[in-house]
Amino acid sequence: MSDAPAVQRVYSGESVRFTHGDGYRMTVEDAHRRITEALTLAQEIPRPRWDFSLLVADDVVGVIALRVREPGMGTVSYILRQDAWGQGHATEAVRRVAAFAFTHTDLECLEAKHHPANPASGRVLAKAGFTCVGTSDLHAEGGVVVPYPAYELRRYGPSHRPSRLRQQAGQRPPPHRLPQDQTRTDRHCG
């Protein structure tokens, strides 16, 4: 659990504004729980999630997770300390995790989304090869619906198999549900 203070520093300040709200600061106990959960899930077969630390000069500057959402489909999420933003660390980490997913798992497609007020995360995903495919409505406090830009990356590229989210032949595809939200193709990515 020696990484708990480093994980705690990642989940603080501006880094968690969009994920946990202003003023959130992970406690040491929360960091221990997060690490324990990651270690426990690493032992499950089939494995539901991989958690990776982003290291720069032996310093944990971020965390990236690959989750199996359903057979063949995974999600990628990441968070970096504010002092590590804008240096290419997230883009490189997303690229590496995608390469890992497509070479060491049966996942065929990865999905990711970001808060609409955080376009830098969208640029990270685009640089890592993800394609914006619409929005995913997430329900925030007070019943507010927030349309998050939604992205995907396919093992064999976008032309290998049509996206379930893209409109084809002028027809709207059936709704594609992410956990507790609704992805739509009638909105634009930011």
Side-chain angles (χ1 to χ4, degrees), residues 19 60 71:
T19 58
V60 176

Side-chain angles (χ1 to χ4, degrees), residues 63-129:
V63 176
I64 185 166
L66 169 64
R67 292 174 181 83
V68 176
R69 202 185 76 218
E70 61 186 57
M73 180 70 64
T75 61
V76 174
S77 61
Y78 52 91
I79 184 168
L80 268 71
R81 280 190 341 225
Q82 184 177 0
D83 64 342
W85 292 355
Q87 300 174 42
H89 303 309
T91 301
E92 181 63 22
V94 171
R95 284 179 180 145
R96 288 180 180 218
V97 167
F100 170 85
F102 294 146
T103 57
H104 297 292
T105 75
D106 292 333
L107 297 174
E108 296 292 328
C109 183
L110 300 177
E111 294 180 338
K113 58 189 168 210
H114 69 84
H115 193 283
N118 185 10
S121 276
R123 290 189 297 274
V124 164
L125 293 168
K127 288 178 192 175

